[in-house]
Amino acid sequence: MDMDFLANTELFYGIAAAELPVLLERLHARQLGFCKDEILCPAGQPIHEIGLVLQGELYIQHEDVWGGRTLLDRITPGQLYGEVYACIGNEPSLVSVAAAADSRVLLLNPTHLLHQNAQNEAAQEILLRNLIRGIAGKNLNLSRRALYTAHRSIRGRVLAYLSDQALLHKSATFLIPFDRQQLADYLGVDRSALSAELGKLQREGLLTTHREAFRLTPPLMPKG
């Protein structure tokens, strides 16, 4: 396992690579591989281990009984999933985790983190701090998405999302992490309706776009 890679992930950042083998042993770390479209964690079942993506890409999604899907998050190498449920215990997951591509993950049992242990205490404190920071960041992202989807119209959702992306990138030109179908799922709208609205916004001169690339014109940019 690449300890240098792990030492630079959000969970292990600040812990020396040389300290990781012992820490991973205490966390009962194990690696698993998943094929594209395979479900890692189905909705309705508890999640007992924190997952760290080593390779590939995962989606956090919610599906209703009619097959409608809402994309909530995209997890790439170095990022975590399942940490909230793993720390809570036996709470059934409201979402599922699916492999968007062939992927490899590192599973970690958080029991060691949640109990005081005199051994390697400094590393444990760093790990807990990183975990809390990561959970807080995901809560912020969910809050952002709630603001986008609070708009009733597709236009309102699209403009709210793109405006926020411009703020986050500090530029009117940026790339988003979704293709058209993924963006439609993320915003909770129909793909064809989304494409039609983007076409209308382009004709109105408010933006230009090609695939994941966007450029907003000044009316959409916040005033300094």
Side-chain angles (χ1 to χ4, degrees), residues 49-68:
E49 295 171 296
I50 297 170
L52 189 155
V53 179
L54 300 175
Q55 293 178 356
E57 184 177 328
L58 309 180
Y59 289 150
I60 310 297
Q61 58 194 26
H62 177 266
E63 296 180 355
D64 59 34
V65 294
W66 297 279

Side-chain angles (χ1 to χ4, degrees), residues 148 151-163 187 189 193-194 196-207 220:
Y148 309 149
H151 293 268
R152 293 187 178 183
S153 68
I154 295 175
R155 184 188 185 92
R157 295 185 182 196
V158 169
L159 294 183
Y161 174 74
L162 294 178
S163 178
L187 295 177
V189 301
L194 171 65
E197 190 59 52
L198 288 173
K200 184 178 180 180
L201 290 169
Q202 288 198 87
R203 290 191 296 274
E204 293 176 8
L206 296 179
L207 60 83
L220 286 183

Side-chain angles (χ1 to χ4, degrees), residues 38-45 47 58-63 69-73 81 85 93-99:
E38 189 172 353
I39 301 296
L40 287 67
C41 306
Q45 295 186 14
I47 298 175
L58 309 180
Y59 289 150
I60 310 297
Q61 58 194 26
H62 177 266
E63 296 180 355
R69 186 184 70 169
T70 300
L71 179 62
L72 300 174
D73 205 355
Y81 69 90
Y85 286 104
S93 176
L94 296 174
V95 298
S96 61
V97 182

